[in-house]
Amino acid sequence: MSSADNTVHMPTWLRVGVVPLVNLSMALFVSGLIFWIIGENPIEAVRLMIYGAFGYQEAIGYTLFYATNFIFTGLAVAVAFHAGLFNIGGEGQAYVGGLGMALMALAFDDVLPVYLLVPLCLVSGAVFGAAWGAVPGWLQAYRGSHIVITTIMFNFIASALLGYLLVSVLIAPGSMAPETRKFLDSASIPYLYEIAAWFGVELSRSPANGSLFIALICAFGLWLYIWRSPSGYALRTVGFSERAASYSGIDARKVTVITMCLSGGLAAMMGLNEILGTQHRLLLNFTAGYGFTGIAVSLMGRNHPVGIVLASLLFGALYQGGAELAFDMPKVTREMVVAIQGLVILFSGALAYMSEPWVAWVYGKLIGKHVIVEGAV
Amino acid sequence: MPQAPVIDLAIELRGVHKRFGDVHANRDVDLQIRKGSIHGIIGENGAGKSTLMSILYGFYKADAGEVLIDGQVVRLANSRAAIEAGIGMVHQHFMLVDTFSVLENVMLGAEQGMALAPSAAAAREQLQHLADNYQLNVDPDALVGELPVGEQQRTEILKALYRGARVLILDEPTGVLTPQEADQLFRILRALREQGVTILLITHKLREVMDVTDSVSVMRLGEMVAHRETAETSERELAELMVGGSVDLELNKSLPNTGEVLLEVKNLGVRDARGVQVCRQISFNIRAGEIVGVAGVSGNGQSELLEVLAGIEPLSAGSFNVLGQEVDSKYKINPKTLRSLGVNHVPEDRHRLGMVKPFSAAETSILGYHDDPVYRRGPLIDGDKVTAHCQALMNDFDVRPPDPSLRSAAFSGGNQQKLIIAREIEREPKLMLVGQPTRGVDIGAIALIHRRLLALRDAGVGILLVSVELDEILALSDRILVMCGGELVGEVPAGDADKAQLGLMMANAREVENV
């Protein structure tokens, strides 16, 4: 039969290149409908958003700043996911991690130089975040408490704990706001414009800071860990098949606890960007939901570090562009911007495979062959 | 097709094509099945039998070709259409709700109207009618989960007949049955044939085809390669048609040359996760250079025994001594420790234990050995070394396709199993624990695996072989242990064993157990 030889597989560039773009376009199209309903010009809105996110140096800086938070929390979700764990506690782990950083900064910012204090804060934050992740991990591994439940509860505990500490213990003397005193310069990570200035390049001021590089290093390191190290091999084995892990002698419980430490530690790194990078003090609710959005970022990035960096950029742009939009278009509220982000998550994450057969069909019509979509077997 | 003029065909397939990506699962398949006959379809794993049956049952749509039922071209868009056309299917893995009664299972999906009571009464009557006609006796109020496997299967058959099936497809129906239960099934099938039901039997067991079918079709690599009247063919001819060449089914087994005791099991007891005693008072030993077979119907404690000896699950009573290492209920040995002692394990459930399906073949080829410094470069795993290692295993065991980067799940069952056995044999074990080494494996691979196991034994390795295939146990073992209801019910030297006797030991003791 001739028809049988007339089939081709869906090419990779369609699958990883075109399909996500189609998904994103669908999300933007539906968002456009919403704008049209409330009487704003959708094209103008998209233009404003893109301009607001990438149009000028300061905008790009803000986009990168938000993206840095998303890389950390996205990686945190991804590493747990590969071990078959759904860590919803990034928010709390980041919060407690910030505390770990702040304690070191408050204690030593008058004695240690920046090149010692920042690494010390980093390690301390990582340990605090890891501990906050390890407890639910331990409870799941050895006591059978479901990690989704415990990590959510640990978010609330973290929130209450930090609230108490900031209001009653760590609050700067004489201050009305529940936040610590401002750290000295020795506890701050330099801004990107400062770093650029060392090389004689002039950039506009923005909160984007050196944490971005640490985030990218973390992404690369996590890739190495998951796909190139023996521990990562064990981690993925546990994630795919706990039975295969026990067959091969891998202690799934230990892997669970270690992975949750890593996950919590990565989430805590968000504090580098927020606490040491920009705020220079510990303040109430600095995590602002980034821990939760990390779930969407990881989902959209297919739990792969490269995907997560790209998804973080997109979400950073949505945050920054959305803020500009809410500012420029009076009818557009903050909630509408959140709705757009939700639509992007919906189409790119939850409905990621919906458009594949359509794209395959169109491509098949164009080349006059029957295109097979992966996963049809 | 050169066929005699046909009058009464229950099913006819003409030129059926089905492709999945690069795989041509069915290629120009023609098939004619006489009404009221038992027709066998045989072929190795991946020959396209299941795909063909799925087309017949409306799961897949053929790319090309026609399906005729009672001489009429039909379009089977889904399984409901197939059921309406009078086709019933008994799957290899039963599609039953364990917590429902037989009656509820039979009715499921075929209820009439909103209220259950009237249709339940009607179903009960109908069920009685079927039971009387076909000797299909099952208590309609028994919970399916509490029934023996043979009766669960009968429930599946009843389900199909209740829906008005005139063509019954059975996919590997004897895989979970004792020889006696299988005989019972064949009696039922013959009774159904007398009543005009057409039966399609998918199997890889040549003996069954010879025993029970009227005619047989052989598939190979997606094509129908031969149609035979069963009376006019032989096991050997069918085997050669399946493989596409001559096969050596004979194994040359020398006398065992046994040495020291490698494994000594003393009054071993095992409880499962729910605390149910699944093995009790088990004692035996294995010496170097012998194969000890454990026979038994699936689910009689042999799987649990194997997992305890492999260090996967803890034991609850007694102890065992493996290569000088004492293990009891206080000390659970780690599979890693066992491997370092020289105890290797080919697990029963290769999909969930022996490999990680989404892993590449190369990654699966180091499962259990990922910590081995041999595969390292610095602190990281050296992908090139792992790939080269996997390639060597693949060449040695003729794993096809020999591509280490392919996903483990993409290989056929036989090739997956060859890779797993290659991985374990390569480590030069002293004691091998082997579970169902040829389950779902094609004939060519079975012969290779059997020869390798015998070679290992001749080299002085002690082997514990757990299998539900009696033929396999008989072919390989030097001593045979029979397990039933979690206990060892007997030990037979291989030379004295015959199938009927073993079958009785496997089944009788179970009846005692149920009393």
Side-chain angles (χ1 to χ4, degrees), chain B residues 469-480:
Chain B
E469 301 274 355
L470 257 189
D471 291 332
E472 178 165 78
I473 295 272
L474 286 166
L476 294 179
S477 309
D478 299 307
R479 284 189 291 139
I480 299 171

Side-chain angles (χ1 to χ4, degrees), chain A residues 1 3-7 9 224-225 227-231 233-234 236-237 240-251 372 376-377, chain B residues 17 19-22 64 307 312-313 334-336 339 345 347 352-353 355-356 358-359 363 366-368 370-371 376 379-381 423-424:
Chain A
M1 294 286 289
S3 75
D5 301 313
N6 211 5
T7 46
H9 278 282
L224 274 184
Y225 179 81
W227 280 281
R228 289 290 178 271
S229 80
S231 321
Y233 183 97
R236 284 181 298 135
T237 304
F240 283 128
S241 165
E242 213 159 299
R243 296 272 291 151
S246 63
Y247 160 78
S248 58
I250 295 166
D251 187 343
I372 295 160
V377 177
Chain B
H17 271 282
R19 254 181 110 107
F20 299 109
D22 296 333
E307 293 199 352
I312 295 172
E313 298 292 337
N334 187 304
K336 246 179 224 173
R339 284 194 184 92
H345 176 204
R352 296 201 296 139
L353 266 72
M355 60 181 213
V356 180
F359 275 12
E363 285 175 309
I366 60 166
L367 185 67
H370 66 277
D371 279 337
R376 293 274 184 86
L380 299 178
I381 292 178
R423 178 183 75 204
E424 299 305 323

Side-chain angles (χ1 to χ4, degrees), chain A residues 296-313:
Chain A
V297 170
S298 180
L299 188 71
M300 195 174 163
R302 297 281 188 273
N303 303 304
H304 191 283
V306 174
I308 287 169
V309 169
L310 293 177
S312 297
L313 270 179

Side-chain angles (χ1 to χ4, degrees), chain A residues 110-291:
Chain A
D110 53 347
V111 285
L112 289 178
V114 64
Y115 55 84
L116 285 182
L117 186 53
V118 167
L120 182 66
C121 289
L122 187 153
V123 170
S124 163
V127 168
F128 271 60
W132 212 250
V135 178
W138 185 88
L139 285 171
Q140 155 116 7
Y142 294 92
R143 288 290 176 271
S145 319
H146 202 282
I147 203 150
V148 168
I149 310 292
T150 45
T151 48
I152 290 176
M153 294 199 298
F154 266 63
N155 287 339
F156 286 105
I157 298 173
S159 173
L161 176 70
L162 270 280
Y164 163 73
L165 289 176
L166 282 171
V167 170
S168 310
V169 183
L170 297 172
I171 191 165
S175 162
M176 297 292 287
E179 51 191 50
T180 65
R181 70 168 168 82
K182 206 166 184 310
F183 310 146
L184 302 179
D185 280 350
S186 59
S188 67
I189 294 172
Y191 289 108
L192 283 191
Y193 66 84
E194 290 174 335
I195 296 172
W198 300 340
F199 300 100
V201 179
E202 200 173 324
L203 292 182
S204 313
R205 294 172 74 99
S206 74
N209 58 71
S211 310
L212 176 63
F213 301 116
I214 300 175
L216 294 175
I217 291 168
C218 283
F220 178 69
L222 193 67
W223 176 81
L224 274 184
Y225 179 81
I226 294 180
W227 280 281
R228 289 290 178 271
S229 80
S231 321
Y233 183 97
L235 182 149
R236 284 181 298 135
T237 304
V238 170
F240 283 128
S241 165
E242 213 159 299
R243 296 272 291 151
S246 63
Y247 160 78
S248 58
I250 295 166
D251 187 343
R253 296 167 165 192
K254 223 159 86 184
V255 170
T256 298
V257 176
I258 293 173
T259 305
M260 281 306 291
C261 285
L262 256 179
S263 183
L266 278 168
M269 291 302 101
M270 199 198 115
L272 292 178
N273 196 37
E274 287 283 342
I275 303 293
L276 301 188
T278 45
Q279 303 285 356
H280 305 299
R281 69 191 139 213
L282 184 63
L283 67 169
L284 211 58
N285 295 329
F286 77 87
T287 49
Y290 291 109

Side-chain angles (χ1 to χ4, degrees), chain B residues 56-349:
Chain B
L56 205 45
Y57 198 56
F59 279 148
Y60 296 141
K61 202 171 143 302
D63 296 338
E66 294 182 320
V67 177
L68 288 82
I69 294 177
D70 296 331
Q72 303 290 317
V73 176
V74 288
R75 284 177 50 83
L76 301 170
N78 50 44
S79 52
R80 189 164 285 272
I83 290 168
E84 277 164 15
I87 295 175
M89 182 128 176
V90 176
H91 295 270
Q92 190 173 1
H93 304 286
F94 305 146
M95 309 278 177
L96 295 170
V97 184
D98 277 357
T99 50
F100 277 13
S101 72
V102 170
L103 185 68
E104 286 168 323
N105 266 292
V106 168
M107 285 168 56
L108 189 64
E111 308 91 343
Q112 285 124 20
M114 291 289 283
L116 274 182
S119 61
R124 187 180 293 274
E125 199 176 306
Q126 176 80 9
L127 217 55
Q128 191 55 48
H129 185 69
L130 291 170
D132 294 345
N133 274 351
Y134 304 117
Q135 310 170 19
L136 275 164
N137 288 310
V138 189
D139 173 9
D141 297 313
L143 280 188
V144 161
E146 291 169 0
L147 289 177
V149 186
E151 292 192 27
Q152 293 191 7
Q153 193 173 48
R154 258 176 264 166
T155 307
E156 279 280 21
I157 296 175
L158 280 170
K159 233 170 90 177
L161 294 175
Y162 179 73
R163 286 160 174 69
R166 281 163 292 125
V167 177
L168 201 57
I169 305 171
L170 293 113
D171 188 8
E172 299 282 357
T174 59
V176 291
L177 304 181
T178 62
Q180 281 79 6
E181 281 175 323
D183 286 343
Q184 225 168 359
L185 171 71
F186 294 151
R187 274 201 293 282
I188 292 170
L189 295 186
R190 290 195 190 99
L192 287 169
R193 177 179 59 187
E194 299 313 314
Q195 302 287 331
V197 178
T198 309
I199 291 162
L200 236 84
L201 185 67
I202 321 294
T203 183
H204 68 278
K205 293 182 186 167
L206 296 170
R207 197 158 300 168
E208 285 174 6
V209 171
M210 298 305 295
D211 280 353
V212 75
T213 62
D214 302 310
S215 49
V216 53
S217 302
V218 186
M219 290 192 79
R220 183 172 73 234
L221 300 175
E223 288 182 83
M224 227 14 125
V225 291
H227 303 278
R228 293 282 186 276
E229 291 303 311
T230 310
E232 294 161 11
T233 184
S234 68
E235 255 182 71
R236 175 162 293 275
E237 187 198 14
L238 291 177
E240 289 178 354
L241 285 168
M242 273 165 74
V243 184
S246 68
V247 284
D248 185 8
L249 293 175
E250 302 300 317
L251 283 169
N252 293 317
K253 201 165 112 188
S254 56
L255 283 173
N257 182 15
T258 55
E260 51 170 341
V261 173
L262 302 175
L263 172 71
E264 190 175 10
V265 180
K266 287 164 286 190
N267 301 320
L268 185 89
V270 181
R271 289 180 185 280
D272 68 9
R274 288 169 299 169
V276 178
Q277 182 113 31
V278 287
C279 293
R280 62 174 75 84
Q281 293 291 330
I282 290 180
S283 301
F284 66 93
N285 61 43
I286 296 179
R287 292 173 174 278
E290 68 170 347
I291 298 183
V292 176
V294 177
V297 178
S298 168
N300 275 281
Q302 61 274 61
S303 310
E304 288 82 357
L305 173 67
L306 195 64
E307 293 199 352
V308 167
L309 295 178
I312 295 172
E313 298 292 337
L315 54 89
S316 63
S319 64
F320 65 90
N321 186 305
V322 55
L323 294 160
Q325 177 73 53
E326 188 76 15
V327 180
D328 59 24
S329 58
K330 287 183 215 71
Y331 172 64
K332 178 190 162 297
I333 196 160
N334 187 304
K336 246 179 224 173
T337 320
L338 280 169
R339 284 194 184 92
S340 64
L341 282 173
V343 183
N344 285 28
H345 176 204
V346 177
E348 285 191 336
D349 186 345

